[in-house]
Amino acid sequence: MTLRINLFPDPNMANTIFKCMPVRCTADFPTVSGFRWLRATTRGSGDIYAQYLLAGANLPKAGVYHIHAICYAQGSGALFRVYAGFGNGFTLLNETGIADNQTKIIDADITIPANTTQLLIRVMPPSTVNKYILIRDILLESKSTYDTAVGGGFRASSPGIRCRVSRRDYRAGDVR
């Protein structure tokens, strides 16, 4: 059995020790349908984003990784990006657009180069003031241990879909 390890320090969006850094937007952490999200809401103009910075002990070693996240956008032009930083420059490793009123599952492979000193996981809300992007379930895992059949473990079941059982199997307050 291969051990799977999520290398992202705050997949449940607690924002306690490992903090999100907003730029020209506000960041809050609402709970929607039982899931905690990072919400970045546009408050200004220019380069608008909220990001997590992985460096030092939180920086994964050079290699191939799988990045997974769930994003939702209210407004057009929202983006999910991953950057590798080297000294004074950055290289874009992944970019995924999220359309207005769309939930998008990010599933991508990225290669972290050997000379990387920082890894940025960034969401960019739409440029219209008061529009936002939501993100949850961030997974950063070695490609060699990622199980594509499971999809990172976040989509294994859907509690809102009823099972095919007879009425006598229902209990008060139970979905099944």
Side-chain angles (χ1 to χ4, degrees):
M1 183 169 107
T2 305
L3 184 61
R4 297 182 59 195
I5 299 172
N6 185 359
L7 300 171
F8 183 74
D10 192 12
N12 296 319
M13 305 303 169
N15 203 45
T16 52
I17 296 170
F18 189 70
K19 301 256 185 202
C20 172
M21 300 175 291
V23 174
R24 292 185 188 89
C25 66
T26 57
D28 63 337
F29 298 87
T31 299
V32 180
S33 300
F35 295 101
R36 189 168 166 118
W37 298 78
L38 159 64
R39 176 174 49 199
T41 306
T42 302
R43 294 292 180 231
S45 60
D47 198 12
I48 305 163
Y49 58 88
Q51 71 183 12
Y52 289 99
L53 167 69
L54 281 69
N58 289 327
L59 180 67
K61 295 177 182 175
V64 180
Y65 292 85
H66 187 83
I67 185 93
H68 170 90
I70 300 174
C71 294
Y72 170 83
Q74 183 188 69
S76 59
L79 294 169
F80 169 87
R81 289 182 173 167
V82 179
Y83 293 94
F86 329 86
N88 292 332
F90 288 90
T91 298
L92 183 62
L93 301 180
N94 175 270
E95 178 180 88
T96 305
I98 298 94
D100 183 22
N101 202 30
Q102 177 186 8
T103 299
K104 184 124 185 191
I105 296 171
I106 312 297
D107 271 313
D109 294 337
I110 60 172
T111 300
I112 300 175
N115 56 346
T116 301
T117 58
Q118 302 175 50
L119 191 69
L120 303 178
I121 297 174
R122 179 181 287 185
V123 289
M124 301 172 70
S127 58
T128 307
V129 173
N130 293 328
K131 297 296 183 180
Y132 60 85
I133 185 170
L134 296 164
I135 185 170
R136 71 175 170 93
D137 294 341
I138 300 172
L139 169 80
L140 179 62
E141 179 178 343
S142 172
K143 175 67 176 156
S144 64
T145 62
Y146 181 75
D147 183 353
T148 56
V150 175
F154 293 114
R155 296 172 286 162
S157 67
S158 180
I161 297 174
R162 295 177 185 252
C163 296
R164 298 189 191 285
V165 294
S166 68
R167 285 216 174 268
R168 66 185 163 82
D169 292 334
Y170 283 63
R171 296 186 307 241
D174 195 0
V175 203
R176 297 186 176 126

